Amino acid sequence: MEATERRRAAADRVRVAEDTVERLKEGLAEFGVKLPSLRIDPVSCAGDEPAPLVDLGRCNIDTALRLCEVLAEKERS
């Protein structure tokens, strides 16, 4: 794979990660859950061939409990 193709593939991976983060934000928002630190991990995007990671981040206990409630409700249905 030549340099141009590698850069294009790397950009595609980052774009997929960005789209995934947005989908997660939207999906969680439908259940009243907001993870304030939800983002792409910037370190994982460094270098010539990034391997983006989604950083679910830190949240307060109320948000964590709300997420537990949503998961429990989903499991029951």
Side-chain angles (χ1 to χ4, degrees):
M1 184 182 291
E2 63 183 64
T4 302
E5 291 172 334
R6 284 195 307 272
R7 280 194 295 275
R8 188 175 301 124
D12 288 344
R13 286 191 297 271
V14 172
R15 204 170 4 267
V16 168
E18 291 170 339
D19 291 344
T20 301
V21 166
E22 285 308 309
R23 287 177 57 198
L24 277 169
K25 285 181 180 180
E26 292 169 4
L28 290 168
E30 288 181 26
F31 295 98
V33 175
K34 180 180 180 185
L35 298 177
S37 301
L38 179 60
R39 65 188 180 132
I40 297 173
D41 173 52
V43 175
S44 67
C45 291
D48 293 333
E49 295 187 32
L53 297 173
V54 175
D55 185 354
L56 296 175
R58 302 171 351 167
C59 63
N60 63 33
I61 192 70
D62 290 337
T63 301
L65 288 170
R66 178 66 185 129
L67 186 54
C68 288
E69 290 172 12
V70 168
L71 293 172
E73 289 171 16
K74 184 70 176 167
E75 187 175 286
R76 286 190 291 269
S77 61

